Amino acid sequence: MSVLNGPGNTIMNSSRQSQMVQETLLLVDDNPTNLQVLYQTLEGRGYKLLLAKNGEDALNIVAKVHPALILLDIMMPGMDGYEICRRIKNNPELSDSVVIFLSALDDVEDKVKGFSVGGVDYVSKPFQAEEVIVRVETHIKIRQLEQTLARKNRQLEEDNAIILESMGEGLLGVDKEGLITFVNPAGEQITGWSEADMTGKNFHDLLMHTDQNGYRFPREENKLLLTLQDKQVRHSDNDIFQTRDGLAIPVEFTVTAIEGETDVSSACVVFKDISQRKVHEQALNNALKTVKELKEKLQAENIYLQEEIRSEQNYGEIIGQSEALKKTMEEARQVAVTDTTVLINGESGTGKEFMARAIHQFSSRKDRPLIKVNCGAIAESLVESELFGHVKGAFTSAVSDRTGHFELADKGTIFLDEIGELSLDVQVKLLRVLQEQEIQRVGSGEVIEVDVRIIAATNRDLKQMVDEGRFRMDLFYRLNVFPLTVPTLRERKSDIPLLLSKFLNRLSSKLGKPLKAVSEVSMELLMDYDWPGNIRELQNVLERSAILARSEVVEVDDALVPVIRNKLIISSDNADGGARFKTLAENEKEYIISVLEKLHWVIGGKKGAAEVLDIPSSTLRSKMKKLGIERPE
């Protein structure tokens, strides 16, 4: 058996950790590198970490130590992760250990099998440190809450037994007119009335109330009067009696008819004060609500993280040594360590999203999620629900509660891309979040406090939109606390060779082709082009060329990078008969028209111009209007 507390069989121990109760985590993987990465990811977070390299070692450790949570690899020689989990869950003394599976397998069948043997979650390999930390912390919290609930349930049962033994039950008699005929000492103690005071009084008028405010219980619903009519035994644990001192107390009572010689002559009411039970029940309900909310939030975070992991990034990291990029990165590092709101400006395809990721990674919030929201890709009717969440029944399709992106980003960062696409109504609500750090789900009056750092991005001129009345001035100034401009590719052409090297490495793996470089002629062509679509356009051009490449040296078709026809126009209007350069707007207009013509002027949808240009259809229509592009009749 191999029991390790860390790399090199060293025991993790510090003065801080020795003074607090630590949850024990068991990391199981037959790959030493994976164990090392997991250990480094979770080290220093207040856990006691144990390692095992196979199933037999893992089961021996679990039997002796009983860890709170197990990160368990599935594919291992000998005993696989499924069998290990099954054996643990079949042991009643160990079954409360939480199991999260680790595997490169990503089929639905594999996940279903993991859940069927007792696993509660699933992390795909290669895993991200952020994802592992979030899931471990959340499941540890849920386990602790469930243990607390179990203790409270046991305490509630003990408290109820003590109350029943010490207080006893009240008993009173009522005649067929509803008048009280007697009450026992326990009943006197509960109600505060003496038997002399209660005898001859109407039971309904004296005791029955509907709530804590003293409103009378509807006579037609009084269980005692109904029992006097139909002889049926009735029970209630949701009614209120009012004491002599005017206090409203919750009671549990049973009404039983007593028959005379010919008819019902009276009824008896057995009752007891259940105030303490109601207090405990409310506490339990609150705790259960907290657990439910935590599980819902975990589920939402898991879905979001899976989408993030599987989504293909436009480019994997910020690459370059140009002065323009260095200046921007230095500004990003300086603002990252604060909680200041950042507005990232830049043309489409320059890498605004990855700049936001860099700021998040440099910040103190890096261990919490960075939640990305593309404001231009959400239907206007659903933007508010996506951002702030909704409650069941808030609108027709709201069949359950939904956690919004701002709740998911609590203690982390939210990246609002294409912020200029938000409607004025949503802008007002976003302004409130910035000012008050609180949100309300759609359809709910409950205020939820959030601690979120906001990074916004746009390729539009928000100041001009403010002047035109299409963007709120107060929101603009709230967002524009620290403006950051990502340089265009034409401003940092010296970075093109570095970018090409990175993209070729990725394409070589993706396409299964040995791609080493681009030809000298192609490099000159790429360096001479102005790249209106920036890095995104460079990546797309290179990928199309790589697919067609017949050797490890990629040739770029000059039709994909129309430098010659875009560089010069001979103008007979010039006085010297010379040449003039086209403007950037002219180049962009001509390029958009060429794409539209090839696609028969289809703008949106699959294989539409917007998809080819890699921009939202709303942005393309806006550009067409600005550049005066109209479909010919």
Side-chain angles (χ1 to χ4, degrees):
M1 182 182 72
S2 174
V3 181
L4 305 178
N5 286 84
N9 295 4
T10 59
I11 299 176
M12 184 181 69
N13 187 18
S14 68
S15 59
R16 178 181 66 83
Q17 290 160 340
S18 63
Q19 295 173 1
M20 59 181 288
V21 177
Q22 294 177 303
E23 294 285 9
T24 300
L25 273 58
L26 174 60
L27 317 179
V28 187
D29 200 308
D30 63 318
N31 186 318
T33 301
N34 287 343
L35 283 177
Q36 180 77 15
V37 172
L38 283 171
Y39 184 90
Q40 292 175 348
T41 298
L42 296 168
E43 185 181 19
R45 294 188 168 275
Y47 305 121
K48 181 178 180 181
L49 303 178
L50 305 176
L51 311 182
K53 61 185 179 182
N54 56 53
E56 183 178 356
D57 283 356
L59 290 175
N60 288 335
I61 293 172
V62 172
K64 292 183 177 181
V65 180
H66 194 176
L69 184 143
I70 305 169
L71 284 166
L72 179 58
D73 186 27
I74 293 178
M75 303 301 294
M76 292 188 294
M79 192 186 310
D80 65 15
Y82 296 132
E83 180 59 23
I84 297 169
C85 182
R86 186 181 293 108
R87 294 191 183 187
I88 292 171
K89 294 300 178 179
N90 285 340
N91 187 332
E93 296 180 359
L94 306 174
S95 61
D96 65 335
S97 292
V98 177
V99 177
I100 299 177
F101 283 113
L102 302 167
S103 180
L105 302 174
D106 204 27
D107 292 336
V108 172
E109 291 182 0
D110 297 317
K111 291 186 177 182
V112 170
K113 184 175 180 181
F115 294 141
S116 68
V117 296
V120 299
D121 211 338
Y122 185 95
V123 176
S124 299
K125 292 184 180 179
F127 45 76
Q128 294 185 348
E130 231 181 35
E131 181 185 13
V132 173
I133 291 167
V134 168
R135 297 191 185 203
V136 167
E137 288 181 349
T138 304
H139 282 296
I140 287 293
K141 288 178 184 176
I142 290 174
R143 183 176 185 270
Q144 291 171 344
L145 282 170
E146 288 174 340
Q147 290 175 338
T148 301
L149 283 174
R151 289 195 298 271
K152 288 187 175 181
N153 269 321
R154 290 193 297 270
Q155 186 63 47
L156 176 61
E157 292 174 358
E158 294 171 4
D159 290 346
N160 284 342
I162 293 172
I163 292 168
L164 182 60
E165 291 172 3
S166 61
M167 294 295 293
E169 293 183 333
L171 176 65
L172 58 82
V174 181
D175 66 20
K176 60 182 179 182
E177 302 299 329
L179 302 179
I180 298 173
T181 57
F182 72 89
V183 61
N184 72 343
E188 292 179 313
Q189 185 178 357
I190 293 171
T191 64
W193 297 92
S194 68
E195 184 173 16
D197 291 331
M198 297 181 72
T199 302
K201 301 290 177 45
N202 186 282
F203 169 81
H204 180 86
D205 295 339
L206 183 68
L207 296 176
M208 294 296 295
H209 294 76
T210 59
D211 58 29
Q212 303 289 337
N213 297 320
Y215 291 106
R216 289 293 179 184
F217 194 90
R219 182 175 292 272
E220 60 274 13
E221 297 178 16
N222 188 308
K223 295 178 175 59
L224 171 69
L225 301 180
L226 293 174
T227 295
L228 288 171
Q229 294 173 11
D230 61 17
K231 308 178 187 179
Q232 298 295 318
V233 176
R234 285 179 170 82
H235 179 81
S236 173
D237 60 358
N238 198 34
D239 285 319
I240 300 291
F241 280 4
Q242 191 172 57
T243 69
R244 182 170 187 168
D245 296 330
L247 298 177
I249 59 169
V251 294
E252 178 181 3
F253 67 86
T254 302
V255 182
T256 306
I258 300 175
E259 296 191 35
E261 294 182 0
T262 59
D263 199 356
V264 173
S265 62
S266 61
C268 69
V269 180
V270 179
F271 63 97
K272 59 185 175 181
D273 182 352
I274 57 172
S275 300
Q276 290 299 316
R277 184 205 298 178
K278 290 294 184 180
V279 170
H280 286 296
E281 287 177 353
Q282 184 61 48
L284 284 171
N285 288 336
N286 292 339
L288 287 169
K289 181 181 178 183
T290 301
V291 172
K292 181 174 181 289
E293 290 174 351
L294 259 177
K295 287 185 175 180
E296 289 175 352
K297 187 172 182 180
L298 172 65
Q299 184 181 20
E301 284 185 355
N302 284 348
I303 293 171
Y304 181 85
L305 286 169
Q306 288 293 339
E307 290 173 352
E308 282 288 282
I309 292 167
R310 294 175 185 174
S311 65
E312 181 182 8
Q313 302 296 324
N314 287 332
Y315 35 90
E317 56 187 63
I318 297 179
I319 302 168
Q321 295 295 325
S322 63
E323 290 303 317
L325 183 61
K326 285 181 179 179
K327 179 178 181 295
T328 302
M329 287 303 299
E330 179 58 29
E331 292 175 352
R333 286 190 182 94
Q334 289 177 348
V335 75
V337 296
T338 73
D339 275 340
T340 301
T341 300
V342 180
L343 178 61
I344 302 176
N345 298 283
E347 294 182 6
S348 179
T350 52
K352 296 186 291 297
E353 178 185 336
F354 202 76
M355 186 61 68
R357 291 183 182 277
I359 293 172
H360 177 69
Q361 287 301 317
F362 292 145
S363 76
S364 60
R365 297 170 178 260
K366 63 183 179 181
D367 292 333
R368 291 295 298 158
L370 168 68
I371 304 298
K372 181 185 70 174
V373 183
N374 188 333
C375 302
I378 307 173
E380 185 172 346
S381 60
L382 297 177
V383 171
E384 191 176 346
S385 171
E386 291 286 330
L387 291 178
F388 310 124
H390 64 249
V391 297
K392 181 178 179 181
F395 44 86
T396 304
S397 57
V399 296
S400 62
D401 290 355
R402 176 188 176 89
T403 302
H405 290 303
F406 269 91
E407 281 188 76
L408 290 177
D410 190 33
K411 303 298 187 300
T413 306
I414 191 166
F415 174 51
L416 302 175
D417 198 8
E418 296 191 44
I419 189 74
E421 303 295 329
L422 291 179
S423 69
L424 290 171
D425 287 342
V426 178
Q427 289 177 33
V428 172
K429 294 180 172 63
L430 179 58
L431 180 62
R432 178 186 174 185
V433 177
L434 282 166
Q435 292 173 333
E436 308 294 339
Q437 287 287 294
E438 60 185 30
I439 63 170
Q440 282 182 288
R441 289 184 176 183
V442 178
S444 171
E446 180 184 0
V447 174
I448 302 172
E449 292 185 0
V450 291
D451 175 15
V452 178
R453 199 256 183 94
I454 294 180
I455 301 177
T458 182
N459 59 5
R460 305 176 69 175
D461 187 342
L462 292 187
K463 186 65 173 66
Q464 181 181 343
M465 293 179 65
V466 169
D467 296 337
E468 295 170 354
R470 295 185 292 124
F471 201 86
R472 292 183 61 93
M473 180 181 294
D474 46 8
L475 178 58
F476 171 70
Y477 286 119
R478 281 279 183 176
L479 294 172
N480 201 42
V481 177
F482 193 94
L484 193 68
T485 301
V486 182
T488 62
L489 188 54
R490 59 184 171 276
E491 295 174 304
R492 43 179 292 225
K493 285 190 176 181
S494 61
D495 292 333
I496 289 178
L498 294 174
L499 291 165
L500 291 175
S501 176
K502 178 67 177 180
F503 295 159
L504 282 173
N505 284 337
R506 180 179 299 147
L507 288 169
S508 180
S509 174
K510 177 180 177 180
L511 302 176
K513 301 170 71 172
L515 304 172
K516 301 297 184 183
V518 298
S519 68
E520 292 185 11
V521 174
S522 295
M523 180 64 78
E524 182 178 349
L525 187 68
L526 297 174
M527 295 294 290
D528 208 20
Y529 184 47
D530 277 338
W531 299 105
N534 293 292
I535 298 176
R536 186 180 292 124
E537 184 182 5
L538 172 64
Q539 187 180 23
N540 290 341
V541 166
L542 189 63
E543 182 168 357
R544 288 195 288 271
S545 301
I547 292 172
L548 300 174
R550 297 176 180 270
S551 70
E552 62 184 24
V553 178
V554 177
E555 296 286 348
V556 179
D557 189 345
D558 57 8
L560 299 177
V561 190
V563 174
I564 303 302
R565 67 187 182 90
N566 278 350
K567 282 183 63 179
L568 295 174
I569 283 187
I570 304 299
S571 174
S572 58
D573 296 334
N574 289 358
D576 58 0
R580 74 172 180 84
F581 285 99
K582 278 187 175 181
T583 66
L584 178 61
E586 288 173 330
N587 281 326
E588 187 174 25
K589 180 177 180 179
E590 185 173 315
Y591 181 60
I592 290 174
I593 290 175
S594 68
V595 173
L596 287 167
E597 287 176 343
K598 288 181 180 180
L599 299 176
H600 307 292
W601 291 82
V602 176
I603 295 175
K606 287 291 183 182
K607 298 183 179 180
E611 181 180 352
V612 172
L613 295 171
D614 201 13
I615 59 176
S617 58
S618 60
T619 302
L620 177 56
R621 289 189 174 91
S622 177
K623 284 182 177 290
M624 291 171 63
K625 183 176 181 180
K626 181 179 179 181
L627 297 172
I629 300 174
E630 296 182 358
R631 180 173 183 172
E633 297 296 334

